mmCIF file of all heavy atoms in Angstrom:
data_model
loop_
_atom_site.group_PDB
_atom_site.id
_atom_site.type_symbol
_atom_site.label_atom_id
_atom_site.label_comp_id
_atom_site.label_asym_id
_atom_site.label_seq_id
_atom_site.Cartn_x
_atom_site.Cartn_y
_atom_site.Cartn_z
ATOM 1 N N TYR J 33 8.672 10.253 -3.569
ATOM 2 C CA TYR J 33 9.024 11.250 -2.478
ATOM 3 C C TYR J 33 10.342 10.799 -1.723
ATOM 4 O O TYR J 33 11.088 11.629 -1.286
ATOM 5 C CB TYR J 33 7.899 11.497 -1.581
ATOM 6 C CG TYR J 33 6.652 11.959 -2.260
ATOM 7 C CD1 TYR J 33 5.617 11.127 -2.483
ATOM 8 C CD2 TYR J 33 6.579 13.265 -2.693
ATOM 9 C CE1 TYR J 33 4.469 11.568 -3.180
ATOM 10 C CE2 TYR J 33 5.453 13.683 -3.412
ATOM 11 C CZ TYR J 33 4.455 12.774 -3.610
ATOM 12 O OH TYR J 33 3.232 13.237 -4.317
ATOM 13 N N ILE J 34 10.468 9.503 -1.629
ATOM 14 C CA ILE J 34 11.688 8.967 -1.002
ATOM 15 C C ILE J 34 12.892 9.093 -1.962
ATOM 16 O O ILE J 34 14.020 9.390 -1.521
ATOM 17 C CB ILE J 34 11.468 7.503 -0.501
ATOM 18 C CG1 ILE J 34 10.333 7.500 0.542
ATOM 19 C CG2 ILE J 34 12.819 6.936 0.054
ATOM 20 C CD1 ILE J 34 9.917 6.085 0.848
ATOM 21 N N LEU J 35 12.678 8.883 -3.189
ATOM 22 C CA LEU J 35 13.848 8.839 -4.138
ATOM 23 C C LEU J 35 14.239 10.225 -4.605
ATOM 24 O O LEU J 35 15.398 10.401 -4.943
ATOM 25 C CB LEU J 35 13.412 8.048 -5.432
ATOM 26 C CG LEU J 35 13.332 6.570 -5.115
ATOM 27 C CD1 LEU J 35 12.783 5.861 -6.368
ATOM 28 C CD2 LEU J 35 14.704 6.000 -4.816
ATOM 29 N N LEU J 36 13.373 11.251 -4.575
ATOM 30 C CA LEU J 36 13.675 12.522 -5.158
ATOM 31 C C LEU J 36 14.931 13.265 -4.511
ATOM 32 O O LEU J 36 15.776 13.736 -5.136
ATOM 33 C CB LEU J 36 12.470 13.527 -5.114
ATOM 34 C CG LEU J 36 11.606 13.386 -6.345
ATOM 35 C CD1 LEU J 36 10.345 14.186 -6.109
ATOM 36 C CD2 LEU J 36 12.270 13.745 -7.579
ATOM 37 N N PRO J 37 15.056 13.154 -3.126
ATOM 38 C CA PRO J 37 16.254 13.711 -2.485
ATOM 39 C C PRO J 37 17.481 12.967 -2.886
ATOM 40 O O PRO J 37 18.641 13.533 -2.828
ATOM 41 C CB PRO J 37 15.978 13.633 -0.974
ATOM 42 C CG PRO J 37 14.508 13.522 -0.949
ATOM 43 C CD PRO J 37 14.101 12.765 -2.145
ATOM 44 N N LEU J 38 17.417 11.735 -3.283
ATOM 45 C CA LEU J 38 18.621 10.932 -3.624
ATOM 46 C C LEU J 38 18.998 11.163 -5.057
ATOM 47 O O LEU J 38 20.147 10.851 -5.456
ATOM 48 C CB LEU J 38 18.333 9.321 -3.523
ATOM 49 C CG LEU J 38 17.874 9.001 -2.093
ATOM 50 C CD1 LEU J 38 17.454 7.505 -2.119
ATOM 51 C CD2 LEU J 38 19.070 9.099 -1.123
ATOM 52 N N ALA J 39 18.113 11.687 -5.903
ATOM 53 C CA ALA J 39 18.391 11.854 -7.288
ATOM 54 C C ALA J 39 19.062 13.213 -7.590
ATOM 55 O O ALA J 39 18.834 14.140 -6.943
ATOM 56 C CB ALA J 39 17.098 11.833 -8.078
ATOM 57 N N GLY J 40 20.063 13.052 -8.547
ATOM 58 C CA GLY J 40 20.769 14.258 -8.977
ATOM 59 C C GLY J 40 20.396 14.567 -10.390
ATOM 60 O O GLY J 40 19.396 14.062 -10.899
ATOM 61 N N SER J 41 21.226 15.240 -11.077
ATOM 62 C CA SER J 41 20.947 15.641 -12.536
ATOM 63 C C SER J 41 21.582 14.674 -13.546
ATOM 64 O O SER J 41 21.661 15.019 -14.623
ATOM 65 C CB SER J 41 21.416 17.087 -12.763
ATOM 66 O OG SER J 41 22.855 17.147 -12.490
ATOM 67 N N GLU J 42 21.914 13.523 -13.094
ATOM 68 C CA GLU J 42 22.604 12.549 -13.932
ATOM 69 C C GLU J 42 21.622 12.100 -15.081
ATOM 70 O O GLU J 42 20.430 12.030 -14.834
ATOM 71 C CB GLU J 42 23.053 11.273 -13.187
ATOM 72 C CG GLU J 42 24.079 11.543 -12.147
ATOM 73 C CD GLU J 42 23.527 11.948 -10.798
ATOM 74 O OE1 GLU J 42 22.289 11.795 -10.552
ATOM 75 O OE2 GLU J 42 24.301 12.585 -10.007
ATOM 76 N N GLU J 43 22.146 11.726 -16.170
ATOM 77 C CA GLU J 43 21.365 11.167 -17.286
ATOM 78 C C GLU J 43 21.578 9.659 -17.192
ATOM 79 O O GLU J 43 22.648 9.175 -16.920
ATOM 80 C CB GLU J 43 21.859 11.711 -18.581
ATOM 81 C CG GLU J 43 21.469 13.148 -18.805
ATOM 82 C CD GLU J 43 21.743 13.661 -20.217
ATOM 83 O OE1 GLU J 43 21.713 12.779 -21.165
ATOM 84 O OE2 GLU J 43 21.969 14.833 -20.389
#
Side-chain angles (χ1 to χ4, degrees):
Y33 301 104
I34 297 171
L35 289 172
L36 276 171
L38 300 172
S41 61
E42 298 85 20
E43 289 190 26

